[in-house]
């Protein structure tokens, strides 16, 4: 038994349907002639941009080979690069960089290097747009085996997703995601560490990296950030 990386990438798309956050990011993508999607995953944002008539340069980078394969198949005329944000090698080429669906939270030990590379990849005055879960809301506390949820995958297979937080150390939350059968038999377990930075820490790290925060929202409708907001949404500009 087991569940392949390709199946996990397809399941990602089943679990992550288009939503208000995607509309938010899409508005910045459509307004820019050249776009870099950092942690692009299966490429859904750039695929939609092309479908909606974006004729400019679209590029995505992601370390997950199976996710990126899926992106390549969906949109062959974009540039898809295997790697992490800290591996970015472009210089001054993009009007906008985005990190959608909380991909920003995957930047932990390599956060400063990643921000430096994203800044370098941007053209003068370019924007970096991303969101991150608000640590004040402590969303990870609901990621436990007593809150599983059921899903039917792309092959019609009935599955159960089970989450378990292993460790909270400072701002870093390490958890597992187990893809299981409905009788809880595990098929695969993935482990990730997410960075939960608050507003002050985000502002400090962005300033240090050479960005200015142009706008900060608490929701995808651009309402102002409050301490109870689920998300911290930032539009930063390269200085
Ligand atoms: C939650 S997914 C978001 C995918 C996509 N942005 C979306 O909106 O569906 C997070 C993505 O970040 C990628 N990732 C993990 N570490 C990364 C890093 N250091 N740099 C860039 N991407 C990373 C993962 O492989 C994964 O595809």
């Amino acid at each position: 038994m087991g569940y392949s990386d390709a199946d996990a990438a397809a399941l990602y798309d089943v679990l992550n349907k288009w939503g208000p956050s995607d509309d938010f990011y899409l508005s910045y993508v459509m307004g820019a002639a050249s776009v870099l999607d950092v942690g692009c995953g299966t490429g859904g944002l750039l695929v939609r941009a092309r479908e909606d008539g974006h004729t400019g340069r679209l590029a995505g980078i992601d370390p997950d080979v199976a996710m990126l394969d899926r992106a390549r198949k969906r949109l062959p005329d974009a540039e898809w690069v295997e790697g992490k944000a800290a591996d970015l090698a472009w210089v001054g080429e993009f009007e906008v960089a985005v990190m959608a669906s909380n991909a920003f939270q995957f930047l932990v030990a390599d956060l400063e290097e990643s921000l430096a590379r994203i800044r370098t990849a941007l053209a003068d005055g370019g924007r970096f747009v991303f969101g991150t879960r608000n640590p004040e809301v402590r969303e990870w506390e609901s990621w436990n085996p007593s809150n599983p949820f059921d899903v039917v995958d792309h092959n019609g297979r009935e599955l159960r997703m089970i989450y378990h937080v292993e460790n909270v150390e400072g701002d870093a939350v390490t958890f597992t995601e187990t893809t299981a059968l409905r009788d809880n038999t595990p098929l695969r377990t993935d482990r990730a560490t997410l960075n939960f930075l608050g507003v002050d820490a985000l502002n400090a790290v962005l300033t240090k990296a050479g960005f200015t925060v142009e706008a900060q929202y608490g929701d995808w409708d651009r309402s102002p950030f409050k301490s109870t907001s689920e998300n911290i949404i930032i539009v930063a500009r390269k200085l």
Side-chain angles (χ1 to χ4, degrees), residues 12-13 16 21-22 25 37-45 61-65 67-68 83-87 98-108 110 114 133 193-194:
Y12 178 87
D13 285 339
N16 296 278
S21 70
D22 300 297
Y25 289 112
D37 187 353
V38 184
C40 60
T42 58
L45 182 63
I61 185 168
D62 199 287
D64 187 311
V65 176
M67 302 270 266
L68 208 56
K84 296 184 169 188
D87 300 322
V98 297
M99 289 193 89
S101 302
N102 300 311
F104 177 84
Q105 292 192 256
F106 283 81
L107 309 179
V108 189
D110 58 356
S114 301
R133 297 176 185 86
T193 300
L194 296 183

Side-chain angles (χ1 to χ4, degrees), residues 129-147:
V129 186
F130 67 95
T132 179
R133 297 176 185 86
N134 180 8
E136 304 270 332
V137 175
R138 304 176 74 82
E139 191 184 311
W140 66 85
E141 288 179 350
S142 66
W143 300 346
N144 60 64
S146 59
N147 286 326

Side-chain angles (χ1 to χ4, degrees), residues 9 30 47 51 81 91 211:
M30 297 308 284
V47 169
E51 283 170 0
V81 175
V91 179
F211 289 97

Side-chain angles (χ1 to χ4, degrees), residues 76-98:
D77 81 335
E79 296 160 61
W80 302 109
V81 175
E82 184 190 329
K84 296 184 169 188
D87 300 322
L88 280 165
W90 282 297
V91 179
E93 298 191 32
F94 297 95
E95 288 179 18
V96 160
V98 297

